[in-house]
Amino acid sequence: EVHLVESGGGVVRPGGSLRLSCAASGFTFDDYGMTWVRQVPGRGLEWVSGINWRGSSTDYADSVKGRFTISRDNAKNALYLQMNSLRAEDTALYYCARLRAKVAWHYMDVWGKGSTVIVSS
Amino acid sequence: EIVLTQSPGTLSLSPGERAALSCRASQSVSSNYLAWYQQKPGQAPRLLIYGASSRATGIPDRFSGSGSGTDFTLTISRLEPEDFAVFYCQQYGSSPVTFGQGTKVEIK
């Protein structure tokens, strides 16, 4: 069965850093692009970042460009999101999702359950 | 950036009724690369439709998608109790990927 499990969320002060991880199983990881999408509780979905199948192409929302870095380790079936210079407005539930293509942005056919990030002093 | 506007914000219907959800794009969506997702409280989104009209694996045929260019519709032919949720459209024809703000389908 296909699974995505996020980890690494928590409470961090403004200006701090956090690294999210997403462990993939049940499919050939390097056949797919991957992405991060976030959601403030009670609000809508916001695309954050995407990466192609081999990690050579990445894309970011303007709201996180220059602060967040997406990466992947195909040998470990893992996706990462390094978040620096965190702001209160980054507080959200962060979903890892599989893209139905090898590129850095497409539609998402498998989602994890999410990892919560809270930025607060 | 393509802005997606969903309407109505909330749809109050009874089981067995038909639901029609609209998603309008601020500019034409390339190759009709538009997807629909369903999200229930406390759960991750679930893919329903991709390519504007193709049903994802395991999605019942009461869900259908239509439209092209800037106007898209998700139709649920007869609402089942488990269908009440929030629905989002998403365009993936150009970067950045964008989502609509969502339509809540609630029990009347």
Side-chain angles (χ1 to χ4, degrees):
Chain A
E1 191 176 351
V2 175
H3 274 302
L4 297 172
V5 180
E6 302 91 339
S7 61
V11 180
V12 62
R13 294 187 185 278
S17 297
L18 213 52
R19 189 198 198 202
L20 300 182
S21 299
C22 172
S25 61
F27 64 99
T28 303
F29 187 63
D30 57 8
D31 272 352
Y32 297 89
M34 296 293 294
T35 193
W36 291 97
V37 174
R38 67 186 180 184
Q39 185 173 36
V40 174
R43 304 281 296 274
L45 301 169
E46 181 189 13
W47 173 77
V48 173
S49 181
I51 188 167
N52 73 340
W53 66 283
R54 61 175 183 169
S56 59
S57 175
T58 59
D59 202 7
Y60 298 92
D62 285 346
S63 58
V64 306
K65 202 171 290 184
R67 300 187 299 121
F68 289 12
T69 302
I70 190 171
S71 62
R72 64 190 294 161
D73 185 334
N74 288 342
K76 295 183 178 179
N77 290 344
L79 175 72
Y80 305 102
L81 186 67
Q82 177 67 43
M83 303 183 294
N84 298 332
S85 303
L86 282 161
R87 306 167 179 167
E89 54 265 34
D90 296 317
T91 294
L93 179 64
Y94 284 73
Y95 291 107
C96 162
R98 187 178 80 172
L99 298 172
R100 194 56 181 172
K102 288 193 166 191
V103 296
W105 39 275
H106 209 63
Y107 68 87
M108 303 107 185
D109 69 339
V110 178
W111 297 67
K113 294 185 186 302
S115 182
T116 297
V117 172
I118 298 172
V119 184
S120 174
S121 55
Chain B
E1 166 175 326
I2 295 179
V3 176
L4 298 178
T5 302
Q6 292 186 241
S7 61
T10 301
L11 203 49
S12 298
L13 295 168
S14 301
E17 289 193 293
R18 177 188 180 93
L21 286 64
S22 172
C23 176
R24 182 160 292 177
S26 60
Q27 54 189 282
S28 185
V29 176
S30 176
S31 303
N32 293 328
Y33 278 177
L34 189 108
W36 289 93
Y37 302 86
Q38 177 190 50
Q39 187 177 35
K40 298 179 182 179
Q43 296 185 17
R46 176 176 75 142
L47 176 69
L48 298 175
I49 300 288
Y50 63 93
S53 59
S54 297
R55 261 188 307 277
T57 303
I59 301 303
D61 60 8
R62 63 180 181 273
F63 291 93
S64 64
S66 62
S68 63
T70 60
D71 287 299
F72 300 89
T73 301
L74 174 70
T75 302
I76 310 171
S77 58
R78 286 179 56 86
L79 282 163
E80 297 288 340
E82 63 268 27
D83 297 338
F84 292 89
V86 179
F87 295 83
Y88 296 95
C89 59
Q90 174 226 348
Q91 71 80 22
Y92 53 100
S94 61
S95 179
V97 160
T98 49
F99 290 91
Q101 81 280 16
T103 290
K104 182 179 182 180
V105 178
E106 63 176 24
I107 299 176
K108 187 174 182 179

